[in-house]
Amino acid sequence: MSVLPFESLACPLDGMSLCREGKSWRCENGHSFDIARQGYVHLLPVQKKRSKDPGDSKAMVAARQRFLETGLYQPIADAVANATLKDVPAESTLRCLDAGCGEGYYLRQLGLAADGVDLSLLGLDISKWAVLSGARQDRRASWVVGSNANLPVLPGSLDRVLCLFGFPVYAEFARVLRPGGRLIQVDSGQDHLRELREIIYPEVRAESKKIAEAPEGFQRIASEDIRFPMHLAGAEPIADLLAMTPHLYRASQEGRERAAALDSLSLTVDVCLHTFEREP
Ligand SMILES: C[S@@+](CC[C@H](N)C(=O)[O-])C[C@H]1O[C@@H](n2cnc3c(N)ncnc32)[C@H](O)[C@@H]1O
Ligand SMILES: [Zn+2]
């Protein structure tokens, strides 16, 4: 397996193809985007930025990285890699975008799982902290600060889009996937981290329901539930798990204090993985 350069970047201002020239990416209309020292490129136009520092903060990214490195979510990474590599002919090149990639854990795991298939990988996130962390850990993939709402990617140029615990924009995913290309989406199931939610909230709300139908332009290929128990030993992984989910911000002060007082916690992981295929 080798990781090949990603060659389908598009200018975020006019959609033209971007070509690498030295330390920048340029389009035919003269727009130019510098590649940062750490190897990523910023392709989020200022006018599309809703806040000064959009997406996950530096602290959230660091917490997610520490947590994922423990390997506790390995069964999810394995399922994502299996679904991504399914039906890919041997000795072909798979062009894959992780849309909302965070610090890049799932792309790194995909790189480890791909056997006999070449990969061309793009990690994109709206958080510059996430992309910076991804780029530092893996120089072989391409890394972009950008938004799912306006993907800086040429139409029909991808075989796979991953959207893991993220913010899907289906019209954009449909635009950048080739016909027959696939979207791999992972979302929390009803019981996901229930035991943590029971501690931090006075009343546990049901997590969002499973997606009932395939999004427009897609047909469902498969849906699978991934459920397993997880034991957190020590205050640090508990704090990291809380910090990498939306629960830290939603919980009350008392809820956060109850979680901070724990020194171990047994939890249910319950997520659903959907595979949707881009219609011709
Ligand atoms: C819950 S995290 C999941 C990260 C990663 N997929 C994982 O599972 O480790 C959601 C990510 O989406 C990013 N994000 C939020 N809005 C976004 C957007 N409009 N476009 C791209 N990424 C976005 C956040 O910065 C954050 O890194
Ligand atoms: Zn341009």
Side-chain angles (χ1 to χ4, degrees), residues 129-196:
W129 305 111
V131 172
L132 181 60
S133 175
R136 280 197 174 130
Q137 295 177 79
D138 178 0
R139 304 291 291 205
R140 301 177 310 168
S142 293
W143 299 95
V144 163
V145 178
S147 174
N148 290 353
N150 180 26
L151 291 171
V153 175
L154 295 173
S157 63
L158 299 177
D159 304 298
R160 299 286 183 270
V161 171
L162 314 183
C163 186
L164 313 173
F165 304 103
F167 300 90
V169 180
Y170 296 113
E172 275 297 90
F173 295 169
R175 182 181 67 78
V176 297
L177 278 167
R178 65 165 169 80
R182 291 179 181 179
L183 165 63
I184 313 296
Q185 184 172 338
V186 170
D187 294 299
S188 301
Q190 304 242 354
D191 291 329
H192 191 48
L193 311 180
R194 173 182 284 278
E195 298 82 351
L196 179 64

Side-chain angles (χ1 to χ4, degrees), residues 11-16 18 26-33:
C11 175
L13 302 173
D14 53 28
M16 303 289 282
L18 286 179
R26 277 171 195 279
C27 85
E28 259 180 34
N29 290 332
H31 302 122
S32 173
F33 306 90

Side-chain angles (χ1 to χ4, degrees), residues 55-56 64 68 100-102 106 125-127 146-148 164-165 167:
D56 279 11
R64 179 170 302 111
L68 291 172
C101 59
Y106 295 96
D125 201 284
I126 206 165
S127 157
S147 174
N148 290 353
L164 313 173
F165 304 103
F167 300 90

Side-chain angles (χ1 to χ4, degrees), residues 45-67:
V46 204
Q47 60 271 32
K48 301 257 157 117
K49 250 180 152 175
R50 294 225 187 102
S51 76
K52 206 160 167 280
D53 191 14
D56 279 11
S57 66
K58 192 176 179 181
M60 285 172 85
V61 169
R64 179 170 302 111
Q65 186 188 343
R66 280 194 302 269
F67 180 84

